[in-house]
Amino acid sequence: MTKLDSKIPEGPVEKKWQNAKFNYKLVNPANKRKYNVIVVGTGLAGGAAAATLAELGYNVLNFCIQDSPRRAHSIAAQGGINAAKNYPNDGDSIWRLFYDTVKGGDFRSREANVYRLAEVSNNIIDQCVAQGVPFARDYGGYLANRSFGGAQVSRTFYAKGQTGQQLLLGAYSSLMRQVDKGKVKMYTRREILDIVIVDGKARGVISRNLVTGEIEKFEAHAVILATGGYGNVYFLSTNAMASNGGAAWKAYKKGACFANPCFTQIHPTCIPVHGENQSKLTLMSESLRNDGRVWVPKAKGDKRHPTEIPEDERDYYLERVYPSFGNLAPRDVSSRQAKYRVDEGKGVGSTGVAVYLDFADAIKRDGRDAIEARYGNLFEMYERITGENPYKIPMRIYPAVHYTMGGLWVDYNLQSTVDGLFVLGEANFSDHGANRLGASALMQGLADGYFVIPYTLGNYLASHKFDKIETNHPEFEKAYQDAQGLTKKLLSIKGQRTVDTFHKALGQIMWEYVGMSRNKAGLEKAIKEIQQLRKEFWEDVNVPGDPNIVNTELEKAARVADFLELGELMARDALNREESCGGHFRDEYQTEDGEAKRNDQDFCHVAAWEFTGVDKEPVRHTEALDFPNVPLATRSYK
């Protein structure tokens, strides 16, 4: 039976990371070249980890699903990255960032991990500035900050509306330096099909070359997964089309527990769905809510042009409901408030499933040039997609699936329940609880990659002895045959339905019953419908083409097969968590004014699921959470 040992160091929370680093075993610099490390992913977490570990002397094998490491989905993050520098002198501190993050996650995160995240946040900014990341600066040349949801201080560093891209280019430059030196071997256009476990330790991966179709075997002393989240289980999300939870799901099926899978973030600031044939959604940065005001008409069914609706006939509902935070209320509560307005019949646009984000007041106050300097590329992107000029007409926005706070369970060292399998960034569960504050994803990815894994991986390697193995080991051969068998099975079904029809059907079930609001009857129905859909998939999917060439339908089919299992686990986790917290909102558990109602007595814990078989119920383990530093309290932004 799997046991969850968080390995949290002794001492007060502000000393835990220092104590841990002092007590970790070290690898002699001359010995680091003897170790091979696999890093899956080249986003902020994976790219930073691969570059840093290679810089230290390890031999790194780095895999990415794209044609270039710099095309990882981290590039899509727009608004900024948090750090507790307190440059505006407005009262920020490491402790306040720690407090805001615990509170923002609705007290469902691990205090020790969150404090470490806040503690190393300042180092991230220094690192990125040294790499040449072009952060915005104020009139004096100092780094500028802006505000994000869930905080009453300005702690978000940014590069216009391209922060993720610029941070990724910084990590990419460091990574390419190590590629040039031969310390990193880069494998592009590879998808991980399995994790190889030898004698209880993660010792390698099986991958598919997406160009040639070849299934390959790679050996190492440890494996690091930095593969992002699983939001594409909903079909429509803000994630890149190639983003998937496949590697994490394969790890789950090899013994790594999956924690809090139901914790899904619905981002309030996305371009609304516009048609049945749409394949993804576009995020409009939360940074826009610094200057944009969110509103709907006060009257139901008011279809007048927004510029024709007088000020006194508008409901600036976030400012009304959350006067202390206004338009910068956290993502989960902002998303639900938008849903409430639409449910009341006050939605706008041709579909009636949208709200306005209006910049008229900001343009009048600061001038169009100032707004263009802050958000110009975002405004241009919006106009290209919708054909509307947001300088003249309010943007239309609506919540969409964005980020997943759940992921593989990891201890304080970022190691999963499988020895030698480490998980970084969005792929793990550890830092954000039930709701991620805006601009904290980039912070976690870089913290894990630059400043945490170099210490914790070294401790693991120095604490274990490793038998020399080759890729002809029986466990490698078994994983290889299993991967080949899956490919053959998918191609042999020759059914009548395309992969996308199954993915869309799953997405509709997930959005309807495991989306912004959930209830017992809906979740039970979702589990049954997903099980039936999975049965139909394996009987009637049609995957055309050859396995030995580029075959995007085969790629999608393998991912949807995983999503059909993961979606059921998400629904099961949501059904078992009989409370509302953060992004997990159960209709049965809410306050009189429609806010989340936690059940701290029964659910102040992490739920980590252990795989027992595809058609068997997984085992639910729990890790108790305690909050000696940020006492449990009803979360309020009013």
Side-chain angles (χ1 to χ4, degrees):
M1 181 67 70
T2 298
K3 291 185 179 180
L4 303 179
D5 179 4
S6 59
K7 296 185 174 64
I8 297 173
E10 296 294 329
V13 69
E14 60 269 27
K15 297 290 185 181
K16 289 183 184 298
W17 182 227
Q18 295 178 39
N19 292 343
K21 288 190 291 184
F22 181 77
N23 289 308
Y24 284 152
K25 293 183 178 179
L26 302 176
V27 178
N28 184 296
N31 287 337
K32 286 174 182 169
R33 65 176 69 96
K34 299 177 182 178
Y35 291 105
N36 297 331
V37 181
I38 287 173
V39 179
V40 183
T42 59
L44 292 182
T52 306
L53 293 173
E55 186 78 44
L56 287 171
Y58 298 105
N59 304 306
V60 177
L61 291 71
N62 198 190
F63 295 78
C64 75
I65 200 169
Q66 302 87 2
D67 57 351
S68 167
R70 66 179 179 274
R71 289 174 63 86
H73 188 54
S74 298
I75 201 172
Q78 301 160 337
I81 176 171
N82 288 330
K85 287 283 195 180
N86 194 32
Y87 284 168
N89 197 29
D90 57 356
D92 203 7
S93 64
I94 290 171
W95 193 271
R96 188 176 293 277
L97 176 53
F98 162 59
Y99 173 89
D100 286 347
T101 306
V102 172
K103 176 185 174 184
D106 217 352
F107 298 91
R108 292 296 176 263
S109 51
R110 190 189 286 150
E111 270 199 356
N113 288 67
V114 176
Y115 190 88
R116 177 176 64 189
L117 177 65
E119 184 179 357
V120 305
S121 67
N122 293 339
N123 296 338
I124 297 170
I125 304 305
D126 297 339
Q127 167 86 1
C128 295
V129 169
Q131 289 173 330
V133 173
F135 286 121
R137 295 178 179 268
D138 63 21
Y139 67 94
Y142 295 100
L143 296 183
N145 289 108
R146 59 187 175 200
S147 300
F148 256 64
Q152 291 182 305
V153 296
S154 293
R155 63 162 66 101
T156 304
F157 295 78
Y158 62 99
K160 208 168 186 179
Q162 307 170 357
T163 313
Q165 178 178 357
Q166 298 302 330
L167 292 171
L168 186 62
L169 289 173
Y172 172 74
S173 65
S174 298
L175 178 60
M176 287 300 101
R177 177 173 179 269
Q178 297 304 318
V179 170
D180 184 63
K181 291 176 64 177
K183 293 302 293 181
V184 174
K185 291 183 179 179
M186 181 60 60
Y187 297 91
T188 60
R189 298 299 302 275
R190 288 337 197 266
E191 185 155 18
I192 302 304
L193 302 183
D194 209 350
I195 312 296
V196 181
I197 312 296
V198 179
D199 297 329
K201 299 185 183 71
R203 293 300 304 269
V205 298
I206 305 297
S207 73
R208 180 174 184 267
N209 185 318
L210 299 181
V211 177
T212 67
E214 181 183 0
I215 296 177
E216 304 162 319
K217 299 180 282 189
F218 296 92
E219 174 274 330
H221 295 91
V223 176
I224 296 171
L225 297 184
T227 51
Y230 47 91
N232 274 346
V233 71
Y234 289 85
F235 186 72
L236 285 178
S237 81
T238 65
N239 288 203
M241 296 298 289
S243 297
N244 65 88
W249 193 247
K250 296 301 191 298
Y252 165 69
K253 295 173 84 168
K254 282 295 184 74
C257 287
F258 208 112
N260 300 335
C262 76
F263 286 171
T264 307
Q265 181 161 84
I266 312 293
H267 197 296
T269 317
C270 300
I271 297 178
V273 175
H274 61 73
E276 292 184 2
N277 295 320
Q278 195 166 346
S279 59
K280 79 175 300 294
L281 296 171
T282 302
L283 173 69
M284 299 308 297
S285 171
E286 183 173 306
S287 63
L288 294 171
R289 293 196 281 146
N290 272 275
D291 290 297
R293 300 180 70 192
V294 181
W295 65 275
V296 293
K298 288 183 178 179
K300 295 181 181 180
D302 190 338
K303 295 301 181 183
R304 286 178 291 173
H305 192 276
T307 58
E308 296 175 354
I309 301 176
E311 190 74 13
D312 61 356
E313 295 180 30
R314 301 179 179 187
D315 178 14
Y316 294 93
Y317 59 87
L318 289 178
E319 298 172 28
R320 171 174 58 82
V321 178
Y322 306 109
S324 294
F325 285 75
N327 295 294
L328 286 171
R331 292 176 176 179
D332 58 329
V333 296
S334 299
S335 293
R336 282 196 293 275
Q337 288 297 328
K339 182 180 186 296
Y340 294 157
R341 304 292 86 76
V342 167
D343 291 347
E344 291 170 354
K346 297 178 181 178
V348 303
S350 59
T351 64
V353 186
V355 299
Y356 288 128
L357 181 62
D358 196 337
F359 292 86
D361 287 352
I363 292 172
K364 183 178 179 181
R365 180 184 67 242
D366 298 334
R368 172 169 170 160
D369 289 348
I371 299 303
E372 188 170 356
R374 294 171 197 157
Y375 315 112
N377 62 306
L378 298 173
F379 277 47
E380 180 184 355
M381 181 172 68
Y382 180 87
E383 185 170 8
R384 288 189 178 190
I385 293 172
T386 66
E388 298 176 357
N389 184 344
Y391 293 103
K392 298 179 179 179
I393 304 171
M395 289 183 179
R396 286 174 290 108
I397 59 170
Y398 195 66
V401 173
H402 177 55
Y403 187 92
T404 48
M405 284 77 66
L408 293 179
W409 184 92
V410 294
D411 60 20
Y412 187 77
N413 300 325
L414 304 184
Q415 183 174 242
S416 72
T417 48
V418 174
D419 283 350
L421 180 64
F422 294 82
V423 191
L424 314 186
E426 189 180 358
N428 76 35
F429 88 100
S430 66
D431 290 17
H432 305 301
N435 172 61
R436 176 177 66 83
L437 292 183
S440 287
L442 307 186
M443 176 173 62
Q444 186 205 353
L446 292 179
D448 287 355
Y450 283 140
F451 298 110
V452 179
I453 194 63
Y455 292 96
T456 62
L457 177 70
N459 178 62
Y460 168 76
L461 296 174
S463 302
H464 292 80
K465 293 183 178 180
F466 298 89
D467 295 331
K468 182 175 176 57
I469 61 172
E470 303 289 344
T471 55
N472 60 1
H473 187 281
E475 291 296 336
F476 274 89
E477 189 59 30
K478 182 180 184 302
Y480 177 83
Q481 294 297 335
D482 288 345
Q484 277 200 325
L486 175 63
T487 298
K488 292 176 181 177
K489 184 177 180 180
L490 288 169
L491 289 167
S492 69
I493 298 170
K494 303 297 183 186
Q496 300 299 312
R497 294 178 59 180
T498 65
V499 175
D500 275 353
T501 63
F502 284 101
H503 197 177
K504 286 182 179 181
L506 174 63
Q508 289 170 352
I509 295 169
M510 295 298 296
W511 182 250
E512 182 68 24
Y513 303 117
V514 202
M516 266 198 283
S517 61
R518 305 149 181 192
N519 57 63
K520 185 175 186 289
L523 291 166
E524 289 174 341
K525 185 176 182 180
I527 291 170
K528 291 179 180 177
E529 290 191 2
I530 293 170
Q531 289 172 341
Q532 178 60 32
L533 187 65
R534 186 168 68 243
K535 181 175 181 292
E536 294 172 10
F537 175 87
W538 289 109
E539 293 174 351
D540 200 28
V541 73
N542 188 326
V543 184
D546 190 310
N548 300 314
I549 57 173
V550 174
N551 189 335
T552 56
E553 286 301 303
L554 177 59
E555 296 169 29
K556 289 193 294 184
R559 297 167 195 166
V560 172
D562 291 336
F563 285 148
L564 285 164
E565 296 173 4
L566 173 56
E568 181 182 340
L569 184 66
M570 292 170 68
R572 194 177 297 279
D573 187 47
L575 180 63
N576 275 269
R577 188 169 282 278
E578 296 178 340
E579 65 167 352
S580 290
C581 56
H584 167 64
F585 192 81
R586 286 279 296 266
D587 294 336
E588 308 96 320
Y589 308 104
Q590 56 181 298
T591 63
E592 292 182 358
D593 53 355
E595 301 291 355
K597 188 175 183 180
R598 295 196 320 265
N599 178 354
D600 293 331
Q601 181 174 343
D602 298 319
F603 293 97
C604 192
H605 60 240
V606 177
W609 297 85
E610 180 182 3
F611 179 74
T612 58
V614 173
D615 295 317
K616 298 179 181 179
E617 285 198 18
V619 176
R620 186 179 189 268
H621 303 281
T622 61
E623 176 200 343
L625 297 171
D626 62 331
F627 297 91
N629 298 286
V630 185
L632 286 165
T634 300
R635 193 170 61 132
S636 175
Y637 294 94
K638 296 187 176 181

